[in-house]
Amino acid sequence: MAKILILGAGSMSTAFAFPCSDNNHQVSIVGTHLEDNFIDIIKANKNTHPILKSKIPNRVKIYKFSNFHNLLKHTDLIVLGVSSKGIHWASEQLTSIRNNQQILILTKGLYVNKNNHYEVYADTIKNFLLKNKIKNSKISVAAGPCLASDLSKRVLTNVIFANKDISVVRNLSKILSTSYYKIEYSNDVKGVAACGGIKNIYAMIVGTSMGINLKNEKDNKNLNTAAALFNQSVKEMCYFIKKIGGQESTVMNLAGVGDLYVSCTGGRNSKMGKFIGMGMTYKNAKKIKMPKDTVEGADLIFDIGNKIIKDFKIKELPLMTTFIKALLNNTKFKIDKKLFS
């Protein structure tokens, strides 16, 4: 039995507690410093997560952030399930961990560091810990097609963990896999982590197909257009991942095609894409339709979009660069044949 500490009480981090608990591990969920009220709501609702609508297993302990540093002691695995905006804050909370600590990152995204290089969160945290003289941290990343709502219902789910030392994620697979939660593993940390981030951008783009010629919010799937956008998205993901140092084969697996498929069929990114496809600018759609929702693909665009536009020619990534410009300039996005290579 392992002691697992999950930082973040959001949907995915909470859902991840289910297979951990089902493997008879000692699991604690700690909300961030911004989630104290949310923790109160969960407990007042008899440990039913208000977004997942699922009751958290009885074995899982739920705490406010004030308990986090005490719980860090003797923890076998730290799981980071914060938002992409909170990843640097989360790093700062780890300065008291021991050397050789195991860490698993559920947060998906990509970062441009001070040297103007693309950096995945595993490297961001590793570099921060090294500056604080914490060595040999075993930092793994999780990606793949996994909707939190499905996982909390124990629906069959197949994901992928990555670590440069593949024996680390092979061991995590052994202790965390269940009959419904299947874990594959890879040593392509950059490819797996970057796919998890940029697929959110492409999920928005594919989602625009649902909004074309739509004057209300009823279903309008436009499957031919969606398929064309999906195919082009996969081509561009392969090019992008290979260019930044990941493996093209990673895109054709769970972290790429698999995760993109799930994100296109539901979720906040494809939902935002639908509104953009209806002819709305991003700012208007966010303000009017999704004011309280985090749209990860848009957040990533505002973080690294300018660098992508500088680094890649439009003929290399026609969909991504055109879509990024539309969001950065708050203009409408239109689909035409020039966006397909």
Side-chain angles (χ1 to χ4, degrees), residues 108 144 160 251:
K108 297 176 180 179
I160 187 165
V251 179

Side-chain angles (χ1 to χ4, degrees), residues 87-88 91 111 119-129:
I87 202 72
H88 292 90
S91 301
Y111 172 66
E119 184 174 275
V120 296
Y121 292 147
D123 290 334
T124 301
I125 293 174
K126 178 183 177 181
N127 293 335
F128 179 85
L129 294 178

Side-chain angles (χ1 to χ4, degrees), residues 85-316:
K85 292 182 178 179
I87 202 72
H88 292 90
W89 171 85
S91 301
E92 294 169 357
Q93 310 312 311
L94 302 179
T95 53
S96 63
I97 65 173
R98 65 180 186 272
N99 293 333
N100 301 303
Q101 175 68 61
Q102 285 221 63
I103 300 170
L104 177 65
I105 304 173
L106 301 181
T107 309
K108 297 176 180 179
L110 196 59
Y111 172 66
V112 176
N113 62 24
K114 64 181 181 180
N115 296 319
N116 200 35
H117 295 149
Y118 297 105
E119 184 174 275
V120 296
Y121 292 147
D123 290 334
T124 301
I125 293 174
K126 178 183 177 181
N127 293 335
F128 179 85
L129 294 178
L130 286 173
K131 287 181 181 178
N132 286 273
K133 299 181 180 180
I134 300 169
K135 303 176 182 179
N136 303 319
S137 299
K138 300 175 182 178
I139 304 174
S140 306
V141 298
C146 180
L147 294 178
S149 57
D150 280 358
L151 181 57
S152 70
K153 294 180 178 66
R154 296 179 172 87
V155 170
L156 180 62
T157 302
N158 194 5
V159 298
I160 187 165
F161 289 1
N163 190 297
K164 291 180 181 178
D165 181 353
I166 203 163
S167 67
V168 173
V169 282
R170 185 182 292 117
N171 182 63
L172 286 176
S173 176
K174 288 180 181 178
I175 67 172
L176 297 178
S177 293
T178 68
S179 60
Y180 63 88
Y181 190 61
K182 184 176 184 296
I183 304 169
E184 298 186 14
Y185 35 85
S186 168
N187 62 1
D188 183 19
V189 176
K190 180 166 284 188
V192 169
C195 274
I198 65 166
K199 62 87 184 175
N200 288 323
I201 297 176
Y202 285 109
M204 292 174 70
I205 294 172
V206 176
T208 63
S209 65
M210 296 186 292
I212 298 173
N213 301 322
L214 192 65
K215 295 183 179 180
N216 53 48
E217 295 182 28
K218 295 181 180 179
D219 289 339
N220 188 44
K221 295 181 179 179
N222 282 317
L223 294 179
N224 288 0
T225 305
L229 291 171
F230 189 93
N231 183 65
Q232 179 65 25
S233 295
V234 173
K235 287 183 181 180
E236 292 190 15
M237 286 178 69
C238 286
Y239 189 90
F240 181 88
I241 293 300
K242 186 175 181 180
K243 192 75 176 285
I244 68 170
Q247 299 171 17
E248 188 174 338
S249 59
T250 295
V251 179
M252 305 309 295
N253 207 318
L254 293 167
V257 173
D259 206 356
L260 178 61
Y261 172 78
V262 162
S263 298
C264 290
T265 56
R268 293 166 295 194
N269 292 291
S270 60
K271 182 179 179 181
M272 173 56 74
K274 179 177 74 171
F275 296 132
I276 292 173
M278 289 170 63
M280 302 180 73
T281 63
Y282 171 76
K283 286 185 178 180
N284 283 342
K286 185 72 174 69
K287 181 179 179 180
I288 298 171
K289 300 294 187 180
M290 302 177 66
K292 297 181 180 180
D293 293 294
T294 298
V295 184
E296 297 92 341
D299 287 345
L300 184 60
I301 284 174
F302 292 120
D303 284 342
I304 70 172
N306 282 316
K307 179 171 173 57
I308 291 175
I309 291 172
K310 290 179 182 178
D311 290 349
F312 294 90
K313 299 176 182 178
I314 191 168
K315 66 179 182 179
E316 296 172 319

Side-chain angles (χ1 to χ4, degrees), residues 1-70:
M1 180 179 72
K3 291 184 178 180
I4 300 175
L5 177 59
I6 302 172
L7 178 57
S11 298
M12 185 56 70
S13 50
T14 301
F16 183 75
F18 283 64
C20 294
S21 175
D22 288 347
N23 275 294
N24 297 316
H25 298 305
Q26 183 178 321
V27 186
S28 299
I29 296 175
V30 181
T32 69
H33 61 304
L34 301 176
E35 293 179 319
D36 281 357
N37 291 338
F38 193 63
I39 297 297
D40 287 337
I41 292 171
I42 291 174
K43 291 187 174 182
N45 202 25
K46 297 181 180 180
N47 286 3
T48 296
H49 196 278
I51 300 174
L52 294 174
K53 309 298 183 185
S54 296
K55 189 177 186 301
I56 299 170
N58 292 330
R59 293 173 54 91
V60 178
K61 305 301 181 183
I62 306 169
Y63 300 91
K64 292 184 179 180
F65 178 69
S66 58
N67 296 278
F68 178 70
H69 291 95
N70 287 332

